[in-house]
């Protein structure tokens, strides 16, 4: 069975003018990532909304000590404004969370950005 890579999913014709968002888990000692979700958003604000929703989902699955940075990020309005500025000016934004066995990466790319 063939599976699409993250780059394949994010580089479709329909998403050329959209903000592309994705979340993936990178378990230790594994060679490939596990795609946790992807989304095309029409604006930086909608891309940030998707990042917030996915961050909440990931943080809710982690033990309290590992979830704390994600929960803090969810309430950090200054950081959200910085993310919006990055996306609106053509720069990708990334958030990374960790636990003892896995790295969780959540990214939003502006239109024309590379994956």
């Amino acid at each position: 069975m063939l599976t699409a890579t993250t780059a394949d999913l994010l580089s479709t014709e329909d998403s050329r003018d959209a903000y592309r968002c994705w979340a993936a888990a990178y378990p230790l000692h594994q060679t490939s990532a596990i795609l946790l979700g992807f989304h095309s958003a029409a604006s930086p604000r909608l891309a940030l909304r998707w990042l917030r929703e996915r961050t909440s989902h990931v943080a809710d699955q982690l033990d309290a000590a590992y979830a704390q940075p994600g929960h803090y990020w969810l309430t950090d309005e200054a950081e959200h404004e910085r993310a919006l500025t990055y996306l609106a000016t053509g720069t990708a934004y990334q958030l990374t969370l960790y636990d003892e066995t896995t790295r969780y990466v959540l990214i939003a790319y502006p239109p024309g950005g590379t994956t």
Side-chain angles (χ1 to χ4, degrees), residues 15-20 41-44 87 90 109-114:
S15 67
R16 191 177 344 163
D17 296 328
Y19 290 81
R20 295 162 307 174
S43 70
L87 292 169
Y109 286 93
T114 58

Side-chain angles (χ1 to χ4, degrees), residues 2 9 12-14 21 31 33-34 41 49 60-62 64 71 77 80 85 87 92 94 96 103 105 107 110-111:
L2 295 175
L9 293 170
T12 63
E13 285 284 323
D14 295 338
C21 311
T31 58
I34 300 166
R49 180 183 297 170
D60 286 347
Q61 301 295 318
L62 299 174
H71 289 297
E77 292 299 322
H80 298 162
T85 299
L87 292 169
Q94 176 178 319
T96 304
R103 178 173 43 110
V105 179
I107 298 178

Side-chain angles (χ1 to χ4, degrees), residues 39-100:
H39 178 72
S40 293
S43 70
R45 195 161 300 281
L46 292 174
L48 178 61
R49 180 183 297 170
W50 188 87
L51 285 177
R52 290 176 72 168
E53 289 172 5
R54 295 306 298 159
T55 299
S56 177
H57 295 157
V58 169
D60 286 347
Q61 301 295 318
L62 299 174
D63 288 339
Y66 295 107
Q68 187 175 4
H71 289 297
Y72 178 80
W73 183 85
L74 288 168
T75 62
D76 188 348
E77 292 299 322
E79 186 62 20
H80 298 162
E81 288 301 317
R82 185 170 86 112
L84 286 172
T85 299
Y86 275 23
L87 292 169
T89 59
T91 302
Y93 183 82
Q94 176 178 319
L95 173 66
T96 304
L97 301 173
Y98 298 88
D99 68 13
E100 65 274 354

